[in-house]
């Protein structure tokens, strides 16, 4: 997927400084509120943005991430918490039917190859108890309009100080070159298909590939994995909209009880 960006120290540091829940996350966790107080698995935990909230509420809390740097950062921020290196595609080491709630926040599922996305759905279904919930977010293909986004251009904040302005311009030029180089490197891996796209978007200077899915396509995929009664939530926390046109969509999917 070309996502070496998420192993870089500057990206790990960025994730380690984040703390707030988004309105969509508050709404999504509210949908499954009784389960938040049960046995929680926090997948793709990053720097521990969600750990402080969930660990305080859950009967038991475990977290995992595929990046060693992210795991180290999360452990440093939340000492004594069960934080492990692990792969969302297998959830190896997590027993069958041992979780009430699985959270995969901040579009983490979108940095797994699209062809392996169903593995995540199945692994989560395996570890959930009957009546458990899978809460996660994903980029919305509908915002693309059938076209890949252009390389984003860095802005320059104007200042009256000529030396400071020169430094800012030089940094913007360097950033633009980096973004254009990353686009050239990853452009051939972009895909526009029925129901999903693989996109070299602006994240971290266009250094990664991101999966975007059509919400209708994702609902079908969740049903194929055995999930039912899926709730969709927009960025501002509104649920089950007729038109799902937000950049990110949250899904709350239930394992049959």
């Amino acid at each position: 997927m070309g996502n070496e960006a998420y192993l870089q120290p500057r990206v790990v540091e960025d994730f380690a400084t984040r703390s707030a829940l988004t309105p969509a996350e508050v709404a999504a966790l509210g949908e499954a509120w009784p389960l938040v107080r049960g046995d929680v698995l926090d997948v793709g935990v990053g720097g521990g943005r969600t750990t402080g909230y969930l660990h305080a509420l859950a009967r038991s809390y475990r977290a995992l991430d595929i990046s060693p740097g992210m795991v180290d950062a999360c452990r440093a921020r939340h000492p004594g918490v069960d934080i492990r290196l692990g792969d969302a595609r297998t959830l190896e080491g997590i027993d069958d039917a041992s979780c009430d709630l699985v959270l995969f926040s901040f579009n983490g599922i979108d940095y797994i190859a699209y062809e392996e996305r169903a593995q995540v759905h199945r692994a989560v279904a395996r570890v959930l108890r009957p009546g458990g919930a899978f809460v996660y977010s994903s980029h919305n293909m509908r915002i693309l309009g059938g076209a890949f986004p252009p390389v984003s251009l860095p802005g320059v904040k104007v200042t009256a100080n000529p030396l400071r302005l020169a430094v800012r311009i030089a940094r913007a030029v360097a950033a633009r070159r980096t973004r254009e180089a990353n686009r050239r490197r990853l452009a051939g891996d972009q895909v526009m298909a029925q129901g999903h796209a693989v996109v070299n978007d602006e994240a971290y200077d266009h250094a990664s590939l991101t999966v975007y899915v059509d919400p209708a396509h994702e609902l079908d995929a969740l049903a194929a994995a055995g999930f039912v009664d899926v709730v969709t939530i927009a960025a501002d926390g509104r649920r089950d909209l007729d038109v799902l046109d937000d950049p990110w969509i949250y899904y709350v999917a239930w394992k049959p009880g």
Side-chain angles (χ1 to χ4, degrees), residues 214-225:
D214 186 278
H217 184 82
E218 190 70 359
L219 293 175
D220 288 342
L222 286 167

Side-chain angles (χ1 to χ4, degrees), residues 62 64 84 87 90-96 98 126-127:
R62 292 170 288 182
L64 58 85
R84 314 175 183 183
D87 191 332
T90 63
L91 298 180
E92 185 177 356
I94 307 298
D95 292 339
D96 294 359
S98 63
R126 175 183 66 78
V127 303

Side-chain angles (χ1 to χ4, degrees), residues 41-44 62-66 84-99 101-104 112 119-128 134 227:
L41 178 63
D42 198 347
V43 179
R62 292 170 288 182
L64 58 85
D65 201 284
I66 201 168
R84 314 175 183 183
L85 194 65
D87 191 332
R89 294 166 294 187
T90 63
L91 298 180
E92 185 177 356
I94 307 298
D95 292 339
D96 294 359
S98 63
C99 304
L101 174 71
V102 175
L103 174 68
F104 199 170
I112 293 170
Q119 295 178 31
V120 178
H121 293 158
R122 291 194 296 268
V124 172
R126 175 183 66 78
V127 303
L128 280 174
F134 180 28
F227 289 99

Side-chain angles (χ1 to χ4, degrees), residues 42 45-48 51 55 61-65 67-68 70-86:
D42 198 347
V45 69
T51 302
H55 180 253
Y61 174 88
R62 292 170 288 182
L64 58 85
D65 201 284
S67 164
M70 294 291 188
V71 170
D72 289 344
C74 191
R75 286 174 176 168
R77 188 174 180 182
H78 301 285
V81 178
D82 186 355
I83 301 162
R84 314 175 183 183
L85 194 65

Side-chain angles (χ1 to χ4, degrees), residues 14-257:
D14 176 31
F15 272 73
T17 60
R18 302 185 185 205
S19 58
L21 296 180
T22 68
E25 287 169 338
V26 172
L29 292 172
E31 291 286 334
W33 181 246
L35 305 181
V36 174
R37 295 181 173 273
D39 297 317
V40 173
L41 178 63
D42 198 347
V43 179
V45 69
R49 181 179 63 89
T50 53
T51 302
Y53 297 94
L54 296 175
H55 180 253
L57 294 168
R59 177 172 57 235
S60 72
Y61 174 88
R62 292 170 288 182
L64 58 85
D65 201 284
I66 201 168
S67 164
M70 294 291 188
V71 170
D72 289 344
C74 191
R75 286 174 176 168
R77 188 174 180 182
H78 301 285
V81 178
D82 186 355
I83 301 162
R84 314 175 183 183
L85 194 65
D87 191 332
R89 294 166 294 187
T90 63
L91 298 180
E92 185 177 356
I94 307 298
D95 292 339
D96 294 359
S98 63
C99 304
D100 296 303
L101 174 71
V102 175
L103 174 68
F104 199 170
S105 60
F106 215 58
N107 309 316
I109 195 172
D110 294 338
Y111 299 97
I112 293 170
Y114 176 76
E115 295 76 15
E116 299 172 337
R117 193 179 183 95
Q119 295 178 31
V120 178
H121 293 158
R122 291 194 296 268
V124 172
R126 175 183 66 78
V127 303
L128 280 174
R129 295 188 178 106
F134 180 28
V135 176
Y136 70 104
S137 63
S138 183
H139 286 81
N140 186 358
M141 182 184 181
R142 296 181 186 180
I143 69 167
L144 298 175
F148 298 122
V151 174
S152 61
L153 300 179
V156 177
K157 187 176 181 180
V158 177
T159 174
N161 184 315
L163 180 58
R164 187 171 297 170
L165 180 60
V167 170
R168 290 177 180 176
I169 292 173
R171 287 176 177 171
V173 170
R176 178 170 182 169
R177 288 174 178 167
T178 297
R179 295 177 187 189
E180 290 173 342
N182 284 333
R183 171 56 62 87
R184 288 193 297 270
R185 177 172 60 89
L186 295 171
D189 295 323
Q190 294 192 112
V191 174
M192 190 69 67
Q194 184 68 34
H196 83 278
V198 179
V199 181
N200 176 229
D201 60 18
E202 72 278 4
Y204 299 106
D205 291 330
H206 292 273
S208 64
L209 292 166
T210 303
V211 174
Y212 287 59
V213 294
D214 186 278
H217 184 82
E218 190 70 359
L219 293 175
D220 288 342
L222 286 167
F227 289 99
V228 297
D229 300 328
V230 181
V231 174
T232 53
I233 297 175
D236 61 2
R238 292 172 298 159
R239 74 192 300 276
D240 287 336
L241 302 180
D242 292 333
V243 179
L244 293 171
D245 56 3
D246 278 38
W248 300 356
I249 304 296
Y250 255 85
Y251 301 86
V252 183
W254 298 84
K255 183 173 179 176

